[in-house]
């Protein structure tokens, strides 16, 4: 099994977030670190602080040297795909090739309503997501990108300099929609991340992904399957470790351990030791 951590950029400070990622960089068992892409907190006081994802990610790329890093996941509705492609390329350069490019269709009505960002009807949102993903890949891989979609158009478009990783930083697509999301995973992703309650909920979704891969002629083994396990600060650490082990037995490749809010760097050493027998 493989492991990662995830921090919550809400109700915290840059210094606290940075210190945890710098500490995680020292434990090889954690192959990657993630946070989310939102402008408002998701828990507690919705008017409280929440650090912006990509500017924070660029700074964390500079502050670390080994661990891979990404957003779980970037809402496509928040930034034009061409802008996001340039952000991804630059962040990959800053990190010397450690970016995981997490993307999703977006969902947070509270943020979009407050900021005047269009949260399109579900079908259109996923149509835009599909076009945006293809446009991002084109910009990251082609010298001159052209794309003529219904919503996204690129005309002799450049994204320079290119990312360090080739053909592009690995794409993580998050979500569990069996028709649109898992088909997009089968077509374009190197990792699929889903938040589920337990392995019994995950297994049927994996079966659907296998089917979607067969439909597009893709080997499902090319896709890392990841899930999140939340560490409850009020419960023994063994409970979260046992949950991670159960996912491993079900066939999950990567378990992302969600750290408690404002967890200090000192939580990482006991977590690494507890997970070591499963690695």
């Amino acid at each position: 099994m493989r492991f990662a951590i995830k921090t919550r950029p809400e109700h915290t400070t840059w210094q606290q977030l940075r210190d945890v990622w710098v500490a995680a960089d020292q434990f090889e068992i954690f192959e990657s670190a993630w946070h989310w892409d939102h402008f408002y907190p998701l828990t507690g006081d919705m008017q409280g602080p929440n650090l912006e994802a990509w500017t924070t990610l660029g700074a964390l790329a500079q502050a670390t040297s080994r661990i891979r890093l990404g957003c779980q996941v970037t809402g496509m509705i928040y930034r034009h795909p061409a802008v996001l492609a340039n952000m991804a390329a630059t962040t990959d350069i800053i990190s010397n090739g450690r970016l995981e490019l997490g993307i999703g269709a977006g969902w947070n009505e509270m943020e979009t309503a407050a900021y005047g960002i269009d949260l399109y009807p579900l079908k259109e949102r996923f149509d835009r997501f599909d076009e945006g993903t293809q446009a991002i890949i084109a910009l990251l891989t082609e010298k001159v990108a052209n794309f003529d979609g219904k919503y996204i158009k690129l005309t002799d478009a450049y994204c320079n300099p290119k990312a360090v990783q080739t053909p592009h930083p690995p794409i993580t697509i998050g979500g569990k929609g069996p028709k649109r999301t898992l088909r997009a995973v089968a077509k374009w992703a190197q990792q699929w991340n889903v938040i589920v309650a337990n392995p019994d909920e995950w297994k049927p979704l994996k079966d659907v992904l296998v089917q979607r891969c067969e439909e597009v002629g893709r080997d499902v083994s090319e896709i890392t399957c990841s899930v999140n396990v939340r560490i409850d600060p009020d419960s023994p650490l063994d409970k979260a470790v046992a949950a991670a082990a159960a996912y491993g037995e079900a066939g999950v490749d990567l378990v992302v351990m969600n750290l408690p809010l404002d967890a200090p760097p000192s939580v990482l050493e006991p977590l690494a030791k507890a997970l070591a027998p499963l690695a």
Side-chain angles (χ1 to χ4, degrees), residues 8 21 43 51 59 61 67 77 95 105 109 131 151 166 170 186 202 215 220 253:
R8 291 155 57 179
W21 283 52
T43 66
L51 294 166
I67 201 165
I77 55 175
S95 67
E109 186 174 357
E131 288 190 11
Y151 303 104
T166 56
W202 179 80
E215 291 168 357
V220 71
D253 303 303

Side-chain angles (χ1 to χ4, degrees), residues 10 17 31 42 46 53 60 63 89 107 124 176 179 202 211 216 226 232 237 257 263 273:
E10 62 175 1
L17 186 66
E31 70 171 51
L42 297 185
M46 300 303 173
L60 291 166
W107 59 270
E124 180 179 342
K176 58 184 177 182
K179 294 181 180 179
W202 179 80
Q211 180 182 347
V216 302
S226 67
D232 186 342
L237 183 59
M257 307 301 293
K273 289 180 178 179

